[in-house]
Amino acid sequence: MPAARPRHRQRPWKLKVTVAVAAASLGAVGIAVAAPRTPAPPPAAPNSSCTLKVPEDPLSAGGLATPYQLSATDPRQGACHESVDAQGAFAEATVLDPATGKLSVYHPLVVDAGTAPAAPPVVPALPRGAVVGLWFGFNGDTLTVTGGRRGHCVNGLGGSLFGQVAFCGAQAFFDAANKAVQAGKLRIPPLGRAKDGRPCPSVRDFSLVDQDQSDNVTTTYLATRDGRTAQATAANSRRGGKVTTLANGSDNRLLDAFVDPALGCTPFTAPDLTDGGRPTTSLALNELQAAAGQRNPVALVPPGDPMTLVDGKPSPAKTNLYRAGVDQPALDRRSASTRAYCRSLRTAGLDRLTSDRRLLRAAPSPDDGVGLLKFLTDRLQGSLQQLGCTHPAASRHPAAAAEPDPADQAAASDAVRTLETLKNG
């Protein structure tokens, strides 16, 4: 088992939302009522390496609706609990009807191993011949996925795990979706025009990405006071007693729930099979739209992405495996480099944040009490440092750092100073 990846990003993002409803209404809607109890407090430093057991056929309707079980990878490091911010794992499926090209989304539920959900998961009605892709996100450091034997699940390259990300059936889903686009069955909506007059950003825009782009999901769950979880449906929100909404620290959710509204943009949505067809977002929808509409420079997973390293060094095989799971082309060794990624972060990324500062400054961010401009500038500043754009020694993985030439290094250092001024100005 590989060692846990060092923490490298601001997370988790937990929406502190509570809904109070009379407990007497719970039984009527099928939400289990248990005697109030206080869960054991987590240790000072929660175990950041957890295991998620998925059903053997996770891409079927029954597999999607079977609760996925979270436990500690090494119990000696402490337990893992879905309701603990820094340990939450999240599942998200996107479904293609190959006959019509229609897309839909489903949010499988994650529960603590050995516990029952607060409300039974919705069983999705999948179209005949449905092609299903399933993605996982994690608020800790290293998520190990077990089971899923018939789901073609990918957790990393051999024993080198990605960390926060895993997926099942992803490449087959994107292959089918792209064929549907070519056949004229599936139409991907344009990105649209932002308030700044530019195209709306995508998950491949350098003003949004960080050192490990295209990770995690937009799924949210509800947690009861005793730590049980339920799917975040309108019915469960209204009738679930006092609940808290749990969210994944996600590039995708950052775009859909925060950046898009601040810039006057609308995310790509599809009917939610979990929640009566209400529009919802997903990683797969974002990647399809980014592939169709993102203008140059296009951010693609770089060789120095911490999730694609093997023993702290770049691995083209692991990077390509990750890219295939998010509908990105294989590395072009002639042009794909962490150094080039750094240049686009400090030029295109910084330029847009600077021009949009008035739109972003007062907008909310995933961190309570922190404006979106400060959140994004901190994020970009940290990415420049962690990828080794300013200097290899600044990276957590020096062997994989960008190793910029002196001019690049000076320019990246200037960009960091500019970001500091921008967020405090």
Side-chain angles (χ1 to χ4, degrees), residues 64-65 106-110 117-124 220-222 229-237 274:
L64 291 170
Y106 181 80
H107 303 285
L109 179 64
V110 176
V122 173
V123 179
T220 59
Y221 298 130
L222 302 178
T229 52
Q231 290 169 317
T233 65
N236 288 342
S237 295
T274 323

Side-chain angles (χ1 to χ4, degrees), residues 34-42 224-227:
R37 63 181 176 85
T38 302
T224 62
R225 286 180 294 178
D226 61 1

Side-chain angles (χ1 to χ4, degrees), residues 16-43:
K16 297 180 179 177
V17 180
T18 58
V19 182
V21 178
S25 67
L26 301 184
V29 296
I31 295 183
V33 180
R37 63 181 176 85
T38 302

Side-chain angles (χ1 to χ4, degrees), residues 357-373:
R357 61 189 181 279
R358 292 180 179 84
L359 296 171
L360 301 172
R361 191 178 303 278
S365 83
D367 283 355
D368 291 342
V370 176
L372 188 55
L373 178 63

Side-chain angles (χ1 to χ4, degrees), residues 306-322:
M307 291 199 195
T308 68
L309 305 179
V310 175
D311 296 328
K313 298 179 181 180
S315 165
K318 191 177 179 185
T319 303
N320 287 336
L321 194 62
Y322 192 109

Side-chain angles (χ1 to χ4, degrees), residues 346 388-392 403-415 417:
R346 67 171 170 79
C389 305
T390 54
H391 194 279
E403 298 185 357
D405 61 30
D408 279 342
Q409 181 178 320
S413 298
D414 286 343
R417 287 190 289 270

